[in-house]
Amino acid sequence: MIEHIVLFSVKEGVEQVAVEETLKQIRMLKGRIQGILSITCGKNNSPERKAQGYEFGFIVRFEDEHSRDVYLKHPEHLGVIERYIAPIVKQVLVFDY
């Protein structure tokens, strides 16, 4: 199993509705790309103040590395990046294990 963790901060002036639609589109990838076991996402609410400016995040759980690699190049994933993520994201951090 592979956990694909993505943290991001949003550009100034981005409206909350755009962020919510982006998170919705990310969650919808589960039904569109084979090998995804689950997707969770949301706004940081940690009281520890260690988020280093990252405001939102999501975790995609894959069956295996092959499923993750297929996802990374999949047209549905690339479309969500192009249409929803890229226009609003200022900074991104990706960590897989």
Side-chain angles (χ1 to χ4, degrees):
M1 182 172 42
I2 297 291
E3 301 277 352
H4 177 68
I5 303 164
V6 180
L7 306 177
F8 63 94
S9 58
V10 196
K11 295 176 184 174
E12 275 191 48
V14 171
E15 295 188 21
Q16 183 63 31
V17 67
V19 175
E20 290 171 10
E21 182 62 25
T22 299
L23 297 177
K24 174 184 168 188
Q25 292 297 323
I26 291 167
R27 284 189 297 270
M28 289 173 58
L29 289 172
K30 182 179 183 300
R32 298 179 180 161
I33 303 174
Q34 189 172 355
I36 295 175
L37 300 175
S38 65
I39 299 177
T40 59
C41 52
K43 182 172 175 45
N44 177 46
N45 65 9
S46 173
E48 295 180 284
R49 298 184 182 187
K50 295 182 180 182
Q52 298 183 24
Y54 294 102
E55 303 162 287
F56 297 90
F58 61 94
I59 299 173
V60 184
R61 179 174 285 165
F62 296 98
E63 292 176 359
D64 52 28
E65 287 184 31
H66 174 73
S67 297
R68 186 259 330 263
D69 295 347
V70 167
Y71 161 87
L72 292 175
K73 297 177 183 176
H74 197 283
E76 291 283 345
H77 173 241
L78 297 175
V80 169
I81 291 172
E82 183 180 330
R83 288 190 299 278
Y84 298 96
I85 297 174
I88 70 165
V89 169
K90 174 173 64 174
Q91 185 176 339
V92 66
L93 173 70
V94 177
F95 187 89
D96 293 355
Y97 64 87

